[in-house]
Amino acid sequence: MNFPQVTAEPSADGADRPDVIVVGCGPTGAMLAAELRLHGVRVLVLEKETEPASFVRVVGLHIRSIELMAMRGLLERILERGRRRPAGGFFAAIAAPAPRNLDSAHAYLLGIPQPVIVRLLEEHAVDLGARVRHGCAVVGLEQDEEGVTVELADGERLRSRYLVGCDGGRSAVRELLGVGFPGEPARNWTLMGEMEVGVPQAEIAAKVAEVHHTAGSFDLRPFGGGVYRVVVPAAGVGDRAQPPTVEEFRQRLRAVAGTDFGVHSPRWSSRFGDATRLAERYRVGRVLLAGDAAHIHPPLGGQGLNLGVQDAVNLGWKLAAQVRGWAPDPLLDTYQAERRPVAEDVLDNTRAQLELLSTGPGPRAVRRLLTELVEFDVVNRHLIEKITAVGIRYDFGAGPDLLGRRLPDIDVRRGRLYDLLHRGRGLLLDRTGRLGVGGWSDRVDHLADPTAALDVPCLLLRPDGHVAWIGDDQLDLDGHLSRWFGEPAG
C-alpha cells in the first residue's frame, strides 16, 4: 500500500521556498502543518517513510484532542471512521466508570486506526495548501540569523525561515541540534494488540484477576464482537520495527497465564518499552521540537498521540504569528513554557501507572488503596481529567480559576462555540455588547452574545481555545490583546 498522493501546488505568488519546514508527517507534524496554513504560512512537510506502516494499530483520541478536532471542523469526518468508548478506567487499567457530568460535549474516548487519523490529518493539511514530500530523510541541519538549511539523504538542500522536528522518539532533528534527552531507558517490554479469543468471557475474567497478582502488565479487556485488547509482558526486546506475531502472543500468554486463550485473527499488534525521556529544550533558535521528538513515555493511558497533537495546536498559531510578523517578543517562547510542564506531568503519571502495575507487595498495596479511592467521584474525575488533558491550566497570572483553562464547547447564539474557531483565530466572547477588538480584527473575531452560556461578562480566547482574559474593561482587554496578539494594525 502506498501513501496517498497528497501534495499541494506551490503558493500562488510563485514563492517555492517554505516559511516553515516540518520534519515528520505523523499526527503531530500533519496537525502542525494545518495550523500554520490557517494563517497563510507556506509549509513543506518532509516524511522519511515512503509507505505507511505495514500494521494497523488502533489509537484513542482523548477528550481534549476530540475537542480540538471539533474546533477545526474535523470531528465529523473522524467520527465516521472511529468508535466511541466510555471515558473511564484509563489510569493503570484500574476499572472505573466515566465520572459523572464531565465538563465536555465530547466526553468519550474515540478509538481509530492510527493510519486513518494520520491520513485524515495529512489530507486536511494539504487541503489547506501544505506541501508534503515522502521518502525525504533529514541528515544535516544548519541555522543562522535568517533561517534554517536542511540536507536530505540524497544531498538535496532546502531552506526555510523556521523548522520543527516532529520526527518521533528517535528524532534526527533533536540529535542534529544536540538537545539532551534525559530520562530512563527501557527496562521492560510489553506486547499489545487487539485480537479474537476462543474461550468464554467469564473464564478470561477469572484468569485475569488471578494473574494480576503476579503480572501487573497483563490484561485482556473485551471490546465486543469477540475482540479483546491483549496486553502481556514480552520475553525481551524483539525487533521493534516488526509487529509481534500471533504465535508470540500465544507463547507469552502460556508462559504468564498458563493458557493462550485461543487468541487468533489479530487486528493489530505492537511491542513497546517503558523508556521515559524529556527534551531539555523545545527550542534552539529557529528550530523547535514537538510530539515524540520532545517526549517519550510508555503508552499507559493512551496519552502519546494526544500530547503531540496538543503540542501542535499550541505551537501552530504562535509560530505563524512569528512568521507573519505580529508576534509579541515572548510569544514563541511560551510554547516551551506551557507545553514542557504538561509533558513532565504526563511522564510522571505514566511512571506512577508503571509502579501500580508492578507485582511487589508495596505497589500492590498502593494499587488496592487507589482502587478504593477511585470509587470517590472527585478522585476518579481528577485522574480522568489528567489523562484526557481537560484539567490543564496554563499560568497566565492571577485571576479566576477559568483563566488559563480551555473553554468547553458551550452554546452561543450562532450555535456551538467551537464552530466559530475553525479558522484558528482568537475570539472575544462578549456578553455585555460594549467591548471590541479594534485594530486586532485581522487576528481576533468578536461575538457579542448576551445569551452565551457563561458566568463571566466577557472573555478572550486564544486560537488554541484557552481563556487568555476575563473581565469587562476595554482598556484592560486592549492590554491583553497586545500581550497575545501583538500591536494593533494601522
Side-chain angles (χ1 to χ4, degrees):
M1 181 173 67
N2 296 320
F3 278 111
Q5 296 302 307
V6 285
T7 56
E9 295 299 321
S11 57
D13 61 7
D16 291 333
R17 175 176 292 181
D19 297 310
V20 177
I21 289 175
V22 176
V23 181
C25 198
T28 301
M31 191 73 188
L32 176 61
E35 291 293 293
L36 292 167
R37 283 301 305 154
L38 287 174
H39 301 277
V41 174
R42 294 189 297 265
V43 183
L44 172 64
V45 185
L46 302 176
E47 168 56 52
K48 69 177 181 179
E49 301 296 340
T50 57
E51 296 183 352
S54 59
F55 62 95
V56 177
R57 178 183 177 186
V58 175
V59 295
L61 291 183
H62 283 311
I63 295 172
R64 185 54 183 152
S65 297
I66 296 169
E67 290 181 340
L68 294 175
M69 299 304 159
M71 284 169 48
R72 296 301 184 254
L74 292 168
L75 185 54
E76 290 306 316
R77 70 181 81 170
I78 291 174
L79 286 176
E80 292 174 355
R81 296 163 174 84
R83 182 171 58 183
R84 301 189 198 195
R85 298 170 185 161
F90 299 142
F91 197 86
I94 294 174
R100 296 186 298 273
N101 302 316
L102 278 171
D103 188 17
S104 176
H106 309 283
Y108 51 87
L109 174 74
L110 185 69
I112 187 169
Q114 184 161 345
V116 173
I117 190 66
V118 170
R119 176 174 56 81
L120 288 173
L121 292 178
E122 182 176 341
E123 289 176 349
H124 173 56
V126 170
D127 287 344
L128 290 171
R131 290 185 287 157
V132 180
R133 292 177 55 185
H134 293 282
C136 295
V138 172
V139 297
L141 170 66
E142 300 173 353
Q143 63 172 312
D144 53 44
E145 293 183 358
E146 301 298 324
V148 184
T149 301
V150 295
E151 181 180 352
L152 305 185
D154 63 1
E156 182 181 4
R157 295 171 67 85
L158 301 169
R159 180 81 171 166
S160 63
R161 294 174 62 185
Y162 290 88
L163 181 141
V164 186
C166 302
D167 50 340
R170 300 181 179 182
S171 169
V173 172
R174 187 188 64 243
E175 293 182 3
L176 290 166
L177 278 178
V179 170
F181 204 38
E184 304 92 53
R187 295 165 295 178
N188 301 290
W189 293 84
T190 303
L191 308 183
M192 178 184 292
E194 288 183 8
M195 56 199 69
E196 297 181 35
V197 300
V199 298
Q201 182 171 339
E203 181 179 333
I204 294 172
K207 179 61 72 171
V208 168
E210 173 190 332
V211 176
H212 264 165
H213 293 290
T214 57
S217 58
F218 166 80
D219 197 24
L220 274 79
R221 182 170 300 192
F223 279 162
V227 176
Y228 277 68
R229 169 72 62 87
V230 179
V231 181
V232 62
V237 175
D239 183 358
R240 286 180 291 176
Q242 296 296 324
T245 65
V246 69
E247 184 55 35
E248 286 182 77
F249 275 90
R250 290 171 180 152
Q251 291 175 3
R252 292 307 302 153
L253 287 168
R254 288 193 292 266
V256 172
T259 173
D260 62 16
F261 301 96
V263 295
H264 64 95
S265 304
R267 304 249 180 117
W268 64 268
S269 62
S270 66
R271 69 184 87 237
F272 64 88
D274 58 358
T276 305
R277 298 184 181 277
L278 179 63
E280 291 178 336
R281 302 173 64 185
Y282 278 24
R283 179 187 178 192
V284 178
R286 291 177 172 268
V287 183
L288 301 100
L289 302 172
D292 288 354
H295 39 69
I296 59 170
H297 54 85
L300 299 170
Q303 299 167 91
L305 180 150
N306 295 274
L307 185 60
V309 167
Q310 293 155 26
D311 283 349
V313 177
N314 183 284
L315 174 60
W317 69 279
K318 297 172 182 178
L319 183 54
Q322 193 77 18
V323 170
R324 304 293 289 180
W326 56 260
D329 285 342
L331 182 63
L332 191 54
D333 287 331
T334 67
Y335 165 60
Q336 173 174 307
E338 291 173 4
R339 293 304 299 173
R340 195 171 184 276
V342 171
E344 286 180 319
D345 186 70
V346 170
L347 267 59
D348 276 350
N349 82 55
T350 56
R351 289 183 177 109
Q353 292 181 74
L354 275 173
E355 291 300 313
L356 291 167
L357 293 172
S358 299
T359 57
R364 302 309 296 174
V366 175
R367 184 181 180 89
R368 287 192 295 271
L369 176 61
L370 188 58
T371 301
E372 294 177 11
L373 292 176
V374 295
E375 294 181 7
F376 293 95
D377 190 69
V378 64
V379 176
N380 191 20
R381 180 181 302 276
H382 176 74
L383 293 176
I384 292 300
E385 289 181 349
K386 180 182 290 290
I387 294 288
T388 62
V390 298
I392 291 171
R393 186 188 187 202
Y394 297 135
D395 184 6
F396 294 169
D401 183 66
L402 184 59
L403 184 67
R405 296 189 183 277
R406 108 283 185 228
L407 191 64
D409 192 9
I410 62 173
D411 288 320
V412 294
R413 185 172 57 195
R414 290 166 53 183
R416 302 291 296 182
L417 172 69
Y418 288 178
D419 292 338
L420 308 180
L421 302 177
H422 290 183
R423 296 193 295 168
R425 293 159 55 91
L427 175 68
L428 174 63
L429 190 50
D430 175 12
R431 297 182 70 239
T432 70
R434 294 186 287 102
L435 303 185
V437 297
W440 292 273
S441 61
D442 60 331
R443 288 154 264 171
V444 181
D445 294 323
H446 179 205
L447 176 64
D449 181 4
T451 71
L454 292 172
D455 57 5
V456 297
C458 307
L459 57 78
L460 176 66
L461 280 183
R462 305 192 314 182
D464 60 359
H466 282 259
V467 177
W469 171 82
I470 298 171
D472 59 6
D473 179 78
Q474 183 68 56
L475 198 59
D476 190 32
L477 169 61
D478 288 350
H480 284 80
L481 284 165
S482 293
R483 174 184 176 182
W484 295 109
F485 297 98
E487 294 301 314

